[in-house]
Amino acid sequence: MLAFAVICLLPLLDAAAVATVDQSSDHSPKGWTDEYIDLILTFVQAVIKDQGLDPADLPELKVSFSDTVLGITWHGSAKVYNGRFSGLSTIHRAGNTDFTLDGTTLNLIANLGLNDCSAHYEAQAEFMGITVGASATVKISSVDVFFDAEMIIAPGSSLQIARFEITNIGHIDINVSGLGPLDWILELLVEGIGNSIRGWLADIIEGPLRDILQDILDQYVPEIPSKLF
């Protein structure tokens, strides 16, 4: 499916390539990498949606807890499931790119980001024979990602990702509703959800999203403006 999506996009990529390196335009060589990354991310966004990653399935999370009542320790558990995460396709350039051209090696770095990400889970808690159903909603203000790639300027070469990793996850707001008499486990459940989402984000961005980005970079090799030589 990914290969099909990339092939379908190639005619558009070719047309955009001409616009990107048009030396008769008003664009200076300094801004060509901004345009290149913006173009690449446009197609990354499309493939993310095509691959069913926005919204994406979240893993189930289960936490255990206990409380002592009248000298007896009781055990219970809570879980969130059927989780869906929205926002991966908002990936975009955040600020200017930077590049160096050292002989025959091009190095390009950029700060990328995700905005207004959210998630929703169904939830359930059980303690002392009491079982309640609940739900959890999550909002993440921002996710910052660092991109670093380089390319040997030679036939058949393309930009190869050296680093593609999360540098910061903004405020995570978690709201769990419906726990009723078991709302005292809220803190434990919220902490578990936050940690689970942080780990999941790192895995999916530095795994599947990195692979999607590399596939697009392999298909679309930047044409370096002649003014730089």
Side-chain angles (χ1 to χ4, degrees):
M1 183 69 72
L2 175 58
F4 174 76
V6 172
I7 290 171
C8 289
L9 296 172
L10 285 180
L12 296 176
L13 286 171
D14 291 339
V18 174
T20 300
V21 299
D22 182 4
Q23 296 300 308
S24 64
S25 71
D26 293 332
H27 300 300
S28 67
K30 185 177 180 180
W32 74 275
T33 50
D34 288 356
E35 296 180 1
Y36 173 75
I37 289 297
D38 288 345
L39 177 67
I40 292 298
L41 293 179
T42 296
F43 293 105
V44 169
Q45 293 164 3
V47 175
I48 287 172
K49 293 177 181 178
D50 184 67
Q51 293 296 297
L53 293 175
D54 196 1
D57 292 332
L58 287 166
E60 180 177 305
L61 168 71
K62 185 174 183 179
V63 296
S64 299
F65 53 89
S66 63
D67 195 16
T68 300
V69 180
L70 299 177
I72 301 175
T73 300
W74 300 85
H75 299 275
S77 64
K79 68 177 181 178
V80 291
Y81 56 98
N82 290 341
R84 301 279 278 169
F85 185 95
S86 299
L88 292 178
S89 65
T90 68
I91 189 167
H92 63 280
R93 175 171 57 86
N96 295 332
T97 57
D98 194 14
F99 73 93
T100 58
L101 187 58
D102 183 9
T104 60
T105 301
L106 171 70
N107 177 255
L108 192 157
I109 62 174
N111 291 309
L112 311 180
L114 308 177
N115 286 342
D116 300 321
C117 296
S118 62
H120 182 271
Y121 294 92
E122 294 180 51
Q124 186 180 79
E126 180 276 325
F127 182 70
M128 293 179 60
I130 301 174
T131 300
V132 297
S135 63
T137 57
V138 182
K139 293 184 178 180
I140 303 174
S141 60
S142 61
V143 179
D144 300 329
V145 181
F146 180 73
F147 167 84
D148 181 5
E150 68 175 39
M151 179 181 77
I152 302 299
I153 301 174
S157 296
S158 61
L159 276 167
Q160 299 298 306
I161 299 173
R163 288 178 60 193
F164 188 68
E165 58 193 23
I166 292 176
T167 55
N168 183 63
I169 296 177
H171 178 68
I172 301 179
D173 179 48
I174 302 172
N175 180 46
V176 180
S177 60
L179 289 177
L182 300 184
D183 62 357
W184 55 272
I185 71 166
L186 184 62
E187 182 177 351
L188 182 63
L189 190 57
V190 165
E191 181 181 3
I193 291 173
N195 290 336
S196 177
I197 284 184
R198 287 185 184 92
W200 178 84
L201 271 172
D203 288 343
I204 198 165
I205 287 177
E206 296 168 21
L209 262 65
R210 176 180 175 139
D211 293 342
I212 289 172
L213 177 56
Q214 185 61 66
D215 284 342
I216 298 295
L217 292 172
D218 288 342
Q219 294 290 332
Y220 181 33
V221 178
E223 295 186 37
I224 302 172
S226 59
K227 294 179 181 180
L228 297 177
F229 291 95

